[in-house]
Amino acid sequence: MRPSKRANDELRAVSLERGVSLHAEGSCLVKFGNTHVLCMASLEERVPPFLKNSGKGWVTAEYGMLPRATGDRMRREASSGKQSGRTQEIQRLIGRSMRAVVDLEALGERQITIDCDVIQADGGTRTAGITGAFVALNDCLAWMEGRGMVTRSKVLKDHIAAISCGIYKGEPVLDLDYLEDSAADTDANFVMTGRGGIVEIQGTAEKEPFSEAELASLLALAKGGIGTLVELQRQAIA
Amino acid sequence: MRPSKRANDELRAVSLERGVSLHAEGSCLVKFGNTHVLCMASLEERVPPFLKNSGKGWVTAEYGMLPRATGDRMRREASSGKQSGRTQEIQRLIGRSMRAVVDLEALGERQITIDCDVIQADGGTRTAGITGAFVALNDCLAWMEGRGMVTRSKVLKDHIAAISCGIYKGEPVLDLDYLEDSAADTDANFVMTGRGGIVEIQGTAEKEPFSEAELASLLALAKGGIGTLVELQRQAIA
Amino acid sequence: MRPSKRANDELRAVSLERGVSLHAEGSCLVKFGNTHVLCMASLEERVPPFLKNSGKGWVTAEYGMLPRATGDRMRREASSGKQSGRTQEIQRLIGRSMRAVVDLEALGERQITIDCDVIQADGGTRTAGITGAFVALNDCLAWMEGRGMVTRSKVLKDHIAAISCGIYKGEPVLDLDYLEDSAADTDANFVMTGRGGIVEIQGTAEKEPFSEAELASLLALAKGGIGTLVELQRQAIA
Amino acid sequence: MRPSKRANDELRAVSLERGVSLHAEGSCLVKFGNTHVLCMASLEERVPPFLKNSGKGWVTAEYGMLPRATGDRMRREASSGKQSGRTQEIQRLIGRSMRAVVDLEALGERQITIDCDVIQADGGTRTAGITGAFVALNDCLAWMEGRGMVTRSKVLKDHIAAISCGIYKGEPVLDLDYLEDSAADTDANFVMTGRGGIVEIQGTAEKEPFSEAELASLLALAKGGIGTLVELQRQAIA
Amino acid sequence: MRPSKRANDELRAVSLERGVSLHAEGSCLVKFGNTHVLCMASLEERVPPFLKNSGKGWVTAEYGMLPRATGDRMRREASSGKQSGRTQEIQRLIGRSMRAVVDLEALGERQITIDCDVIQADGGTRTAGITGAFVALNDCLAWMEGRGMVTRSKVLKDHIAAISCGIYKGEPVLDLDYLEDSAADTDANFVMTGRGGIVEIQGTAEKEPFSEAELASLLALAKGGIGTLVELQRQAIA
Amino acid sequence: MRPSKRANDELRAVSLERGVSLHAEGSCLVKFGNTHVLCMASLEERVPPFLKNSGKGWVTAEYGMLPRATGDRMRREASSGKQSGRTQEIQRLIGRSMRAVVDLEALGERQITIDCDVIQADGGTRTAGITGAFVALNDCLAWMEGRGMVTRSKVLKDHIAAISCGIYKGEPVLDLDYLEDSAADTDANFVMTGRGGIVEIQGTAEKEPFSEAELASLLALAKGGIGTLVELQRQAIA
């Protein structure tokens, strides 16, 4: 039995609230249960040096947590003077995930930065972040389309969403919350497109190594969960 | 005429929403119009080195802005590797303001850190932050009182709130929003207690020096505004 | 009775020694009693990015303390790798104060940086710094006038000086030294022009909140003190 | 046809040279073709703060590249003042991989740090690093066993090795070199134990998303490659 | 002919002014012509970790330059966030030089830090710094002797002073000023004791390599110069 | 008797292995006994700002040690976020030494960076580094000559090599290893050209000051040692 009483293949309550920022070109407050991430997409008319005069644009992401998003207060990264390895790993993952569904030539020589800031954490902040970042990105492109800058459907090739799975007390479960995450034997994050292609898979044995069969069962759970998330994205941006 | 059509002595719509964090011992989402600041109070059983074995506690604050809280995206301080002078000035001010109404001996040898994170900015983030931080601090002390750690009324000597005033197009106005703030001749922030004592006053001539008479008119406006804010705090924590 | 036996409205012995640097375009060693600050103005033919091609110049300031300027040796900021919040607050204040009396268009597209380095500290380093920085700035402009770069009287609109006041043992006193500063109930810094306009006011209740009447008495003291300082500046640059 | 003419399931020439350091308790120079990584295990009689008085030890890793290990010289991280996100990701992965086969209680309250420094890079530095780090770790434990500190076979639960796979020109291939790595559609790293358990799997779609079937084919290749690597480790430490 | 008209073996005007700091246990403003360095010795009742419980003390130094000590303003190291390689080289040299004449056991388990801050630079700041630091160190020890903490004559084994020499326009000259220093073929700094022992010699060919004979001539000049400096130290501390 | 049984004027076994890097334009693994330094020369088509459009090139060096190059593991500088003063001192010395034998105009407006990374340390890493860096530099210039970019013999004016000497147990000895270095009274490093010119001399009294006679004996030893090193360089690059 999961601490949250959920079925093994059951997502937490998911919501995707758009337009939550007065300033950002696209924004989304995504909630996976008690995990709340604010995603804001910012358009800038510049690209990284390696893309200057290439005709191509760039999509990147930054990730942060409010110091008390977690059970114990963590040190503010701005105050400690550097981003942790974990923070950097996650923001690189979010950026790669977004770029997997973006046609950078169709975007044109400009950059979209998606800030994913965790307001409250209860496990799965990176998967919630990716799922919400897609909505913010979509809305930023819609904003640009409204100004004749791009054709959104040409820039965005597919949906992208992410979910975690794990082996918890010997059973594969979907969408781990913090209690499950800290006790799981294996923890895996999947990033997949609307058409079911795999964009990123990161599986880690926290205690005992896992088998091929376990990997297959986690992947099956993830496919189901991501299918639901993509449907929720569709409804949100309709 | 103010851009927002407000009367010269009119505050923006102010709200103080308590209990917005699953984890923090006290929390408050404060809104002064479009300025939204999330205030979270965290209790820790340790004090800064200079207070070790003194029997006294400490209250401090940290301040941050989400990168796209503003009209243009600002660089993330965690990524640039240091907090700006402005950030440090503000968080020092918030900490001093809280300590002005706290009896550090009655608190006992423990530390409360109040994180004020600006979710959305439209002028007056430091004054909104102070006003909301008081509510978060109060709730943290209530949480402690519920566990027999302190007597809240002994620790908290009074209310504390803050408001900005300025000379805008030649007239003294209360609670400047961003449009007014960027055009004002003079900008002043006042921090005052529930009983009307002045805790902090910071007035700056942005364009022309100001006179004693102007200072007096700003102070009069501030007293009115802070009276209202304190009343709203009373209702919120009732 | 003040520790220094001064009357409540009495400044410490103030001196403004010009031309103390072989290299700087303008320089002044200012002494407020035992507080000694070396102010050097440096002219550079460049402006910050936000002023490029604007036709306007910039005046800015940096502040530092020698590690043993104080009673106990403080850690060298160059060694610790960052400037404290206090340092940043003060250098921002000095820069704003100078700009309040400078016509940036008349200066033309160039930058003057005023370094205020505290050689010895005994309270009031920021107010001494501002008072001396004006003299260094004036001499830098005179140096430029001598080379046909500017008309000094067009760039410099007025004098600017600063003084601290405080409530010490229940009485308002002028120009606090370190002993008074550490024991004062309220500490306020005033920056004013030669014509008596207020440019900056920063008042902080160190112990008990202060009243409007107390603020008024401090302002009255400050006006007197700044009048004297401006007269000393006039004599020094005559 | 692969640029190196290798069969799709063919590793590069692999060598594991032990005892290459005069000072380190265990060391190994691992070569996967032109990728050369120096692995040195250092024993220290201390543990991270969270393990103090727990009776448990810790194994961690650090990773670096010489500036000219690569085709173009990269900036020295010691000079730029921070480790890149990529560096941090890799060293966290190496540390987790080692800990997956170590009984931290049997190690006792001490720390082994494994430095993996890339002398020359041609793709696969992290997988070579993990494979060599195991040998260095083993030798460090043998050194400790020789001094009666631990029983090596109780601390080390299994072998651990790693290999990369990818979809290159439409075909799954094993152990990508730099030319393949930069052109691959999909890049995946596998960390597995001697008994075939999966410890870590990281797959990324560099261009097009990949399918379940492709993931399965990569996993099959990896199992074969890691089987060979583990056998080479066995011969090396025999 | 030297730019300053000095004879080849002639020092600049040297002065050693003691007691220039209200706070420091020992202090000296040293001038070698237009090079002015403020040396302040601070006593602290602690030692570096490697000396804890050793019964031995430590003497160390820090070095800094005011930003406009030089002809062009240099960036403030506290603001750039790190000390340059040059700064570190010099402060390590000053510390080693002082320790060469101190009996660390006779000092007892405490630390003296000597801050050498360059107020104005015209070549030879490190040699002036060492020469002045000795006087500050001596006065700090006298201060301690006055409180019964040490016997100064047991701690201080000899005088220590330093001077630069160089090959300027083909001729060996003593005590280079900035004009000479920037044009010299060879630049050498000598640190010697009162009894004529060599403590440090650093010679660098700026343009052409130098010969043994040239080295000998520079050493001869240095001996003469340091003899004079030691005599001036003797008079100063008498 | 020296710990290594060497005669007082005997070098350790020296080897200079060229072409050890797949990527670098020039490379050399230099060994002075158990001290092993990897030297890689990298050509870049850019120069530091102060040489832009000057027609002159630049040669610079960086130095690093693998964390476990030493008997006890040292903290990785990339992880601590800054290079130590010692590291900076050494890399500045190596760069100056190379430039002493390079005609920067004949090099043309490009930069060669020589990375000297200590793989294993047993005293004398800087002198081994300089001796090996020369070989890497030579090979980089040969690589350039092969592409018609420079005439190597015009760029390289002479050989350059370095050696340490010291007073160990009262006797002058050549090429100190770690055991001797830590016990020596005096430690001196000499950098000299193939024609015997002195480029750099750095002598430090670690315990007692040294005399002119001792300096002369160290210089004599160094001349002999550097003569041998230059001959080994000649054989290596022949």
Side-chain angles (χ1 to χ4, degrees):
Chain A
M1 178 68 91
R2 308 175 69 173
S4 60
K5 321 287 185 207
R6 281 185 283 148
N8 287 357
D9 63 350
E10 189 181 344
L11 293 172
R12 289 176 283 182
V14 172
S15 67
L16 295 158
E17 184 183 354
R18 294 163 66 197
V20 294
S21 159
L22 183 67
H23 302 299
E25 284 75 25
S27 63
C28 176
L29 172 60
V30 54
K31 298 185 181 174
F32 280 22
N34 282 320
T35 290
H36 303 176
V37 185
L38 198 43
C39 307
M40 301 200 202
S42 296
L43 173 67
E44 288 167 301
E45 290 294 331
R46 57 177 191 82
V47 285
F50 68 92
L51 286 176
K52 283 250 171 78
N53 303 317
S54 70
K56 285 180 169 181
W58 192 242
V59 178
T60 187
E62 294 197 5
Y63 172 92
M65 289 184 98
L66 298 193
R68 194 57 195 280
T70 45
D72 291 317
R73 185 177 185 274
M74 297 185 314
R75 191 161 177 207
R76 187 178 287 267
E77 290 188 329
S79 156
S80 69
K82 65 175 177 175
Q83 295 178 302
S84 70
R86 180 186 170 277
T87 291
Q88 293 193 54
E89 239 177 270
I90 294 176
Q91 66 192 11
R92 282 155 54 92
L93 171 64
I94 301 174
R96 278 200 310 271
S97 298
M98 294 302 116
R99 289 193 296 274
V101 291
V102 167
D103 182 324
L104 296 173
E105 295 201 14
L107 174 58
E109 208 163 315
R110 41 179 80 95
Q111 174 168 302
I112 298 173
T113 301
I114 305 178
D115 289 288
C116 295
D117 285 274
V118 180
I119 301 300
Q120 189 171 281
D122 185 34
T125 62
R126 80 187 73 187
T127 53
I130 289 168
T131 304
F134 171 80
V135 175
L137 173 59
N138 174 80
D139 284 6
C140 179
L141 292 168
W143 185 94
M144 292 166 75
E145 192 172 53
R147 279 150 189 80
M149 301 167 80
V150 296
T151 305
R152 180 182 53 146
S153 59
K154 286 199 180 150
V155 179
L156 218 44
K157 298 185 290 185
D158 201 344
H159 278 246
I160 188 97
I163 201 67
S164 74
C165 302
I167 311 287
Y168 175 74
K169 301 202 172 170
E171 289 191 38
V173 298
L174 182 68
D175 189 20
L176 285 69
D177 58 28
Y178 178 75
L179 275 181
E180 293 170 327
D181 195 33
S182 21
D185 290 319
T186 291
D187 176 20
N189 292 296
F190 296 85
V191 184
M192 298 176 72
T193 64
R195 282 191 284 275
I198 307 172
V199 162
E200 189 98 24
I201 169 170
Q202 297 184 333
T204 300
E206 299 289 346
K207 304 213 174 79
E208 290 304 302
F210 54 98
S211 66
E212 271 184 82
E214 287 172 322
L215 177 61
S217 68
L218 295 178
L219 179 53
L221 277 177
K223 278 168 64 179
I226 285 177
T228 305
L229 292 173
V230 167
E231 182 51 35
L232 290 169
Q233 288 177 336
R234 286 213 172 90
Q235 293 168 12
I237 69 180
Chain B
M1 178 68 92
R2 306 176 71 174
S4 60
K5 321 286 187 208
R6 282 186 283 148
N8 287 357
D9 62 352
E10 188 181 346
L11 292 172
R12 288 177 283 181
V14 171
S15 67
L16 294 158
E17 184 183 353
R18 295 163 65 198
V20 294
S21 159
L22 183 66
H23 302 299
E25 284 75 24
S27 64
C28 176
L29 173 60
V30 56
K31 297 186 182 175
F32 280 21
N34 282 318
T35 290
H36 303 175
V37 184
L38 198 44
C39 307
M40 301 200 203
S42 297
L43 173 66
E44 289 167 301
E45 289 294 330
R46 56 180 191 80
V47 285
F50 68 91
L51 287 176
K52 283 249 170 78
N53 304 317
S54 68
K56 284 181 172 182
W58 193 242
V59 177
T60 186
E62 294 197 5
Y63 172 91
M65 288 183 97
L66 298 193
R68 194 56 195 281
T70 45
D72 291 317
R73 183 177 187 273
M74 297 185 315
R75 191 160 177 207
R76 185 178 288 267
E77 290 188 328
S79 156
S80 70
K82 64 174 178 178
Q83 295 179 300
S84 70
R86 180 188 169 276
T87 290
Q88 293 193 54
E89 236 177 273
I90 295 176
Q91 66 192 10
R92 283 156 54 91
L93 170 64
I94 301 174
R96 278 199 309 271
S97 298
M98 294 303 116
R99 289 192 297 274
V101 291
V102 167
D103 181 324
L104 296 172
E105 295 201 14
L107 175 58
E109 209 165 315
R110 39 180 82 95
Q111 174 168 302
I112 298 173
T113 301
I114 305 178
D115 288 288
C116 294
D117 284 274
V118 180
I119 302 301
Q120 190 172 282
D122 185 35
T125 62
R126 82 188 68 187
T127 53
I130 289 167
T131 306
F134 171 80
V135 175
L137 173 60
N138 175 79
D139 284 8
C140 179
L141 292 167
W143 184 95
M144 292 166 74
E145 191 172 52
R147 279 151 189 81
M149 302 166 80
V150 296
T151 305
R152 182 181 53 147
S153 58
K154 286 197 182 153
V155 179
L156 219 44
K157 300 184 288 185
D158 200 345
H159 278 246
I160 188 99
I163 199 67
S164 74
C165 302
I167 311 287
Y168 175 74
K169 299 200 173 173
E171 291 190 35
V173 297
L174 182 68
D175 188 19
L176 284 70
D177 58 29
Y178 178 74
L179 276 180
E180 293 170 327
D181 194 32
S182 21
D185 289 319
T186 290
D187 176 20
N189 293 295
F190 297 85
V191 184
M192 297 175 73
T193 64
R195 282 190 284 274
I198 306 172
V199 161
E200 189 99 23
I201 168 170
Q202 296 185 332
T204 301
E206 299 288 345
K207 301 209 177 81
E208 290 303 305
F210 54 98
S211 65
E212 272 185 80
E214 286 171 321
L215 178 61
S217 67
L218 295 178
L219 179 52
L221 277 177
K223 279 168 63 179
I226 285 176
T228 306
L229 292 173
V230 167
E231 182 51 35
L232 289 169
Q233 288 176 336
R234 286 212 172 91
Q235 293 169 12
I237 67 180
Chain C
M1 177 70 89
R2 307 176 68 174
S4 58
K5 321 285 186 209
R6 282 185 283 148
N8 288 357
D9 63 351
E10 189 181 345
L11 292 172
R12 289 177 281 182
V14 172
S15 67
L16 295 158
E17 185 182 354
R18 294 163 67 197
V20 294
S21 159
L22 184 65
H23 303 299
E25 283 76 23
S27 64
C28 175
L29 173 59
V30 54
K31 298 185 180 174
F32 278 22
N34 282 321
T35 290
H36 303 175
V37 185
L38 198 43
C39 307
M40 302 200 202
S42 297
L43 173 66
E44 289 167 301
E45 288 294 331
R46 59 179 189 80
V47 285
F50 69 90
L51 285 177
K52 282 250 169 78
N53 303 316
S54 70
K56 285 180 172 180
W58 193 242
V59 177
T60 186
E62 295 197 4
Y63 172 91
M65 288 183 97
L66 298 193
R68 194 58 195 279
T70 46
D72 291 316
R73 186 179 184 271
M74 297 185 314
R75 190 159 177 209
R76 187 178 287 265
E77 291 189 327
S79 157
S80 69
K82 63 175 179 177
Q83 295 178 303
S84 71
R86 180 186 170 277
T87 290
Q88 293 193 54
E89 239 177 90
I90 295 176
Q91 65 192 11
R92 283 156 53 93
L93 171 65
I94 301 174
R96 278 199 309 271
S97 298
M98 293 303 116
R99 289 193 298 274
V101 291
V102 167
D103 181 324
L104 296 173
E105 294 201 16
L107 175 57
E109 209 165 315
R110 40 178 80 96
Q111 174 169 302
I112 298 173
T113 301
I114 305 177
D115 288 289
C116 294
D117 284 274
V118 179
I119 302 301
Q120 189 171 281
D122 185 34
T125 63
R126 80 189 71 187
T127 52
I130 289 167
T131 305
F134 172 80
V135 176
L137 172 61
N138 174 80
D139 284 7
C140 178
L141 292 168
W143 185 95
M144 291 166 75
E145 191 171 54
R147 281 150 189 80
M149 301 167 80
V150 296
T151 305
R152 183 182 53 148
S153 59
K154 286 197 181 154
V155 179
L156 219 44
K157 299 183 290 185
D158 201 344
H159 278 246
I160 188 99
I163 200 67
S164 74
C165 302
I167 310 289
Y168 176 74
K169 301 201 171 171
E171 291 191 36
V173 297
L174 182 69
D175 189 20
L176 285 70
D177 58 29
Y178 178 75
L179 276 181
E180 293 169 325
D181 194 32
S182 20
D185 290 318
T186 290
D187 177 19
N189 292 295
F190 296 84
V191 184
M192 298 175 73
T193 64
R195 282 190 284 274
I198 307 172
V199 161
E200 190 98 23
I201 168 171
Q202 297 184 332
T204 299
E206 301 288 345
K207 301 211 177 79
E208 290 304 304
F210 54 98
S211 65
E212 272 183 81
E214 286 171 322
L215 178 61
S217 68
L218 296 178
L219 179 52
L221 277 177
K223 279 168 63 179
I226 285 177
T228 306
L229 292 173
V230 167
E231 182 51 35
L232 290 168
Q233 288 176 335
R234 285 213 174 91
Q235 292 169 12
I237 68 180
Chain D
M1 177 68 91
R2 306 176 69 173
S4 60
K5 321 286 186 208
R6 282 185 282 148
N8 287 356
D9 63 352
E10 189 181 345
L11 292 172
R12 289 177 281 183
V14 172
S15 68
L16 295 158
E17 185 182 353
R18 295 163 66 197
V20 294
S21 160
L22 183 67
H23 303 298
E25 284 75 24
S27 64
C28 176
L29 173 60
V30 56
K31 298 186 181 176
F32 280 22
N34 282 319
T35 290
H36 303 175
V37 185
L38 199 43
C39 306
M40 301 199 202
S42 297
L43 173 67
E44 288 168 301
E45 290 294 332
R46 57 179 189 82
V47 285
F50 68 91
L51 286 176
K52 283 251 170 77
N53 304 317
S54 69
K56 285 180 171 181
W58 193 242
V59 178
T60 186
E62 293 198 5
Y63 172 92
M65 289 184 96
L66 299 193
R68 193 58 194 280
T70 46
D72 291 316
R73 184 177 185 274
M74 297 186 314
R75 191 160 177 208
R76 186 178 288 267
E77 289 188 330
S79 156
S80 69
K82 65 175 178 177
Q83 295 179 302
S84 71
R86 180 185 169 278
T87 290
Q88 293 193 53
E89 239 177 271
I90 294 176
Q91 67 192 12
R92 283 155 54 93
L93 171 64
I94 300 173
R96 279 200 308 272
S97 298
M98 294 303 115
R99 289 191 299 273
V101 292
V102 167
D103 182 325
L104 296 173
E105 295 200 15
L107 175 58
E109 209 165 313
R110 41 179 80 95
Q111 174 168 302
I112 299 174
T113 300
I114 305 178
D115 288 289
C116 294
D117 284 275
V118 180
I119 302 300
Q120 189 171 282
D122 186 34
T125 62
R126 81 187 71 186
T127 53
I130 289 167
T131 305
F134 171 81
V135 176
L137 173 60
N138 174 79
D139 284 8
C140 178
L141 292 167
W143 185 95
M144 292 166 74
E145 192 171 52
R147 280 152 189 80
M149 301 166 80
V150 296
T151 305
R152 180 182 54 146
S153 59
K154 286 198 180 152
V155 179
L156 218 44
K157 298 183 290 184
D158 200 345
H159 278 246
I160 188 99
I163 200 67
S164 74
C165 301
I167 311 288
Y168 175 73
K169 299 200 173 175
E171 291 191 35
V173 298
L174 182 68
D175 189 19
L176 284 69
D177 58 28
Y178 178 75
L179 276 181
E180 293 170 327
D181 194 33
S182 21
D185 290 319
T186 290
D187 177 20
N189 292 295
F190 297 85
V191 184
M192 298 175 72
T193 64
R195 283 190 284 274
I198 307 172
V199 161
E200 190 98 23
I201 168 170
Q202 296 184 333
T204 301
E206 300 288 345
K207 301 208 177 83
E208 290 303 304
F210 56 92
S211 65
E212 272 184 80
E214 286 171 323
L215 177 61
S217 67
L218 295 178
L219 178 52
L221 277 177
K223 280 167 63 179
I226 285 177
T228 306
L229 292 173
V230 168
E231 183 51 37
L232 290 169
Q233 287 176 336
R234 286 211 173 93
Q235 293 168 12
I237 68 180
Chain E
M1 178 69 90
R2 306 176 70 174
S4 60
K5 321 287 184 206
R6 282 185 283 148
N8 287 357
D9 63 352
E10 188 182 346
L11 293 172
R12 289 176 282 183
V14 171
S15 67
L16 295 157
E17 184 184 354
R18 295 164 66 196
V20 293
S21 160
L22 183 65
H23 303 299
E25 283 76 23
S27 64
C28 175
L29 172 60
V30 56
K31 298 185 182 176
F32 280 22
N34 283 319
T35 290
H36 303 175
V37 185
L38 198 43
C39 307
M40 301 200 202
S42 297
L43 173 66
E44 289 166 301
E45 288 295 331
R46 58 179 189 82
V47 285
F50 68 91
L51 287 177
K52 283 249 169 79
N53 303 317
S54 69
K56 283 181 173 181
W58 194 242
V59 178
T60 186
E62 294 197 5
Y63 172 91
M65 289 183 97
L66 298 194
R68 193 57 195 279
T70 46
D72 291 316
R73 184 178 185 272
M74 297 187 313
R75 190 160 177 208
R76 186 178 287 266
E77 290 189 328
S79 156
S80 69
K82 64 175 179 177
Q83 294 178 302
S84 71
R86 179 186 171 278
T87 290
Q88 293 192 53
E89 238 177 271
I90 295 175
Q91 65 192 11
R92 284 155 55 91
L93 171 64
I94 301 173
R96 278 198 310 271
S97 299
M98 293 304 116
R99 289 192 297 274
V101 292
V102 167
D103 181 325
L104 297 173
E105 296 201 15
L107 175 57
E109 209 165 315
R110 41 179 80 97
Q111 174 169 301
I112 299 173
T113 301
I114 305 177
D115 288 288
C116 294
D117 285 275
V118 180
I119 302 300
Q120 189 171 282
D122 185 34
T125 62
R126 82 188 68 189
T127 52
I130 289 167
T131 305
F134 172 81
V135 176
L137 173 61
N138 174 79
D139 284 7
C140 178
L141 292 166
W143 185 96
M144 292 166 74
E145 193 172 51
R147 280 150 189 80
M149 302 167 79
V150 297
T151 305
R152 181 181 56 147
S153 60
K154 285 198 181 153
V155 179
L156 218 44
K157 300 184 288 184
D158 200 344
H159 278 246
I160 188 98
I163 201 67
S164 73
C165 302
I167 311 287
Y168 175 74
K169 299 201 173 173
E171 290 191 37
V173 297
L174 181 69
D175 188 19
L176 285 69
D177 58 29
Y178 178 75
L179 275 181
E180 293 169 327
D181 194 32
S182 22
D185 290 319
T186 290
D187 177 20
N189 293 296
F190 297 85
V191 184
M192 298 177 72
T193 64
R195 283 191 283 274
I198 307 172
V199 162
E200 189 99 22
I201 168 171
Q202 297 184 332
T204 300
E206 300 288 345
K207 301 211 177 81
E208 290 304 304
F210 55 97
S211 65
E212 272 184 81
E214 286 172 321
L215 178 61
S217 68
L218 296 178
L219 179 52
L221 277 177
K223 280 168 62 179
I226 286 177
T228 306
L229 292 173
V230 168
E231 183 50 36
L232 290 169
Q233 288 177 335
R234 285 212 173 92
Q235 293 168 12
I237 68 181
Chain F
M1 178 68 91
R2 306 175 69 174
S4 60
K5 322 286 186 209
R6 282 184 283 147
N8 288 357
D9 63 351
E10 190 182 343
L11 292 173
R12 288 176 283 183
V14 171
S15 68
L16 294 157
E17 185 183 353
R18 295 164 65 197
V20 294
S21 159
L22 183 67
H23 302 299
E25 284 75 24
S27 64
C28 176
L29 173 59
V30 56
K31 298 185 181 174
F32 279 23
N34 282 320
T35 290
H36 302 175
V37 185
L38 198 44
C39 307
M40 300 200 204
S42 297
L43 173 66
E44 289 167 301
E45 289 293 331
R46 56 178 191 81
V47 285
F50 69 90
L51 286 177
K52 282 250 170 77
N53 304 315
S54 69
K56 284 181 171 180
W58 194 243
V59 177
T60 186
E62 294 197 4
Y63 172 92
M65 289 184 97
L66 298 193
R68 193 58 195 279
T70 45
D72 291 316
R73 184 177 185 273
M74 297 185 314
R75 189 158 179 210
R76 186 177 289 268
E77 290 188 330
S79 157
S80 68
K82 64 175 179 176
Q83 295 179 301
S84 70
R86 179 186 171 277
T87 290
Q88 293 192 55
E89 238 177 270
I90 295 176
Q91 65 192 12
R92 283 155 54 94
L93 170 64
I94 301 174
R96 277 200 310 271
S97 298
M98 293 303 116
R99 289 193 297 274
V101 292
V102 167
D103 181 324
L104 297 173
E105 295 201 14
L107 174 58
E109 209 165 314
R110 41 179 80 96
Q111 175 169 303
I112 298 173
T113 301
I114 305 178
D115 288 289
C116 294
D117 284 275
V118 179
I119 302 301
Q120 189 171 280
D122 185 34
T125 63
R126 80 188 70 189
T127 53
I130 289 168
T131 305
F134 171 80
V135 175
L137 173 60
N138 174 78
D139 283 9
C140 178
L141 291 168
W143 185 95
M144 292 167 75
E145 190 170 54
R147 280 150 188 81
M149 301 166 81
V150 297
T151 304
R152 182 182 53 148
S153 59
K154 286 196 179 152
V155 179
L156 218 44
K157 299 185 288 186
D158 200 344
H159 278 246
I160 188 100
I163 200 68
S164 73
C165 302
I167 311 288
Y168 175 75
K169 301 200 173 175
E171 290 191 36
V173 297
L174 182 68
D175 189 19
L176 285 69
D177 58 28
Y178 179 75
L179 276 181
E180 294 169 326
D181 195 32
S182 20
D185 289 319
T186 290
D187 176 21
N189 293 295
F190 297 85
V191 184
M192 298 176 73
T193 64
R195 283 191 284 273
I198 306 172
V199 162
E200 190 99 23
I201 169 170
Q202 297 185 331
T204 300
E206 300 288 346
K207 302 211 177 80
E208 290 303 305
F210 54 99
S211 65
E212 271 184 81
E214 285 171 321
L215 177 62
S217 68
L218 296 178
L219 179 53
L221 277 176
K223 279 169 62 179
I226 285 177
T228 307
L229 292 173
V230 167
E231 182 52 34
L232 289 168
Q233 287 177 336
R234 285 213 173 91
Q235 293 168 13
I237 68 180

